[in-house]
Amino acid sequence: MKDVIIDDSFWQTYPEAQINLMWLTGFDNHDTDDNLAERQELLRTATAESDKFTKVDPFRNNPVVAEWRDAYQQFPKRKGARSSIEALLKRASQGHEFTPIEPLVDVYNSISLRYGVPVGIEDRDKIAGDLHLGTAQGGESFFPLGAEEDDPARAGEMIYYDEDGAVCRSLNWREAQRTMLTDDTTNGIVVMESVNADQAARANEAMAALAELIPTYFGIKPDKTAVLTAETK
């Protein structure tokens, strides 16, 4: 990956948006029993904290959920596509017990649950050229996890993309297996999207909390962080 570029089409759609970024280099993401119990407790505690985002009944009326559903109305998408944070909060509200998957996934899922923000991490070494966020031309190649057939992006859909196709469809709905985090990933780019000031404030707190956890679990410090808005892009 060369750089992260937020296209004007994104800012035109979401003028109050904010994108938080963090670069991580040289980490070991292989699963280990050394901190398995700690990661399990991290997820358990975060799941309990997520209750503050799911108190309203019905579920769709919770502010975090409702705000992202409104945001998803701004572009064409596959029926049923929802933000990653809605999917995570829904599982938590239904009593799902999150168990460790791999270190970095566990850490960022805990942050997402604690702060009610979408968190995504891509393998920088697998991104071709610049990583863009903007509206799709239509037809950008996309193979989600487990897919055997191409499921191209729709024209006007809000996507992350690079020179080889879509990296994540519908903002943060589903990522491509081509660039997804694996246990062999050593260099990553962390992304958090916000579409209003309240979300942005939580994202700032979430990124700071994530930066504190990275040295504990991976023995490295983030290379750098950045906050992009329509004014500071």
Side-chain angles (χ1 to χ4, degrees):
M1 186 188 85
K2 295 179 180 178
D3 201 357
V4 178
I5 298 175
I6 312 302
D7 299 346
D8 287 341
S9 58
F10 175 80
W11 302 120
Q12 291 167 3
T13 306
Y14 305 107
E16 299 180 1
Q18 175 177 292
I19 303 297
N20 289 64
L21 302 168
M22 179 187 290
W23 283 256
L24 301 174
T25 300
F27 57 85
D28 184 351
N29 195 40
H30 287 89
D31 204 1
T32 173
D33 289 337
D34 293 346
N35 56 25
L36 188 65
E38 292 178 23
R39 285 184 282 132
Q40 180 66 75
E41 180 61 19
L42 192 69
L43 290 166
R44 188 200 65 77
T45 302
T47 302
E49 289 188 42
S50 74
D51 287 349
K52 60 181 175 287
F53 300 116
T54 59
K55 291 181 178 180
V56 178
D57 190 30
F59 177 77
R60 65 177 178 273
N61 288 344
N62 283 280
V64 171
V65 175
E67 289 170 357
W68 277 108
R69 288 198 180 191
D70 287 344
Y72 268 51
Q73 294 302 312
Q74 306 307 310
F75 56 83
K77 60 189 178 302
R78 172 176 285 192
K79 184 178 180 180
R82 297 284 188 264
S83 69
S84 62
I85 184 57
E86 174 176 340
L88 204 61
L89 288 175
K90 187 170 186 178
R91 294 172 71 193
S93 70
Q94 293 174 336
H96 177 81
E97 180 181 354
F98 295 92
T99 56
I101 300 173
E102 57 191 33
L104 197 47
V105 171
D106 300 336
V107 170
Y108 82 67
N109 274 343
S110 75
I111 292 294
S112 192
L113 286 164
R114 282 174 58 193
Y115 293 93
V117 296
V119 182
I121 304 183
E122 302 296 338
D123 188 323
R124 292 204 324 265
D125 295 332
K126 296 176 182 177
I127 294 173
D130 294 325
L131 176 63
H132 288 259
L133 171 59
T135 54
Q137 296 296 311
E140 288 89 346
S141 179
F142 181 77
F143 283 80
L145 180 63
E148 297 182 358
E149 296 182 356
D150 194 9
D151 185 16
R154 300 184 179 190
E157 183 178 4
M158 197 64 68
I159 66 170
Y160 285 90
Y161 66 96
D162 65 4
E163 294 175 359
D164 290 340
V167 170
C168 190
R169 285 188 57 181
S170 293
L171 267 179
N172 47 53
W173 167 56
R174 185 165 294 173
E175 63 180 342
Q177 56 180 310
R178 173 173 62 88
T179 59
M180 67 182 290
L181 192 70
T182 70
D183 56 2
D184 290 325
T185 299
T186 58
N187 303 309
I189 179 72
V190 183
V191 181
M192 298 182 190
E193 307 92 358
S194 309
V195 296
N196 60 40
D198 181 61
Q199 291 180 1
R202 295 202 313 275
N204 290 339
E205 294 179 0
M207 195 64 93
L210 179 59
E212 291 181 0
L213 288 177
I214 292 300
T216 300
Y217 286 91
F218 302 98
I220 63 167
K221 293 182 179 180
D223 292 8
K224 62 177 180 177
T225 59
V227 179
L228 306 180
T229 67
E231 289 73 32
T232 63
K233 58 183 177 179

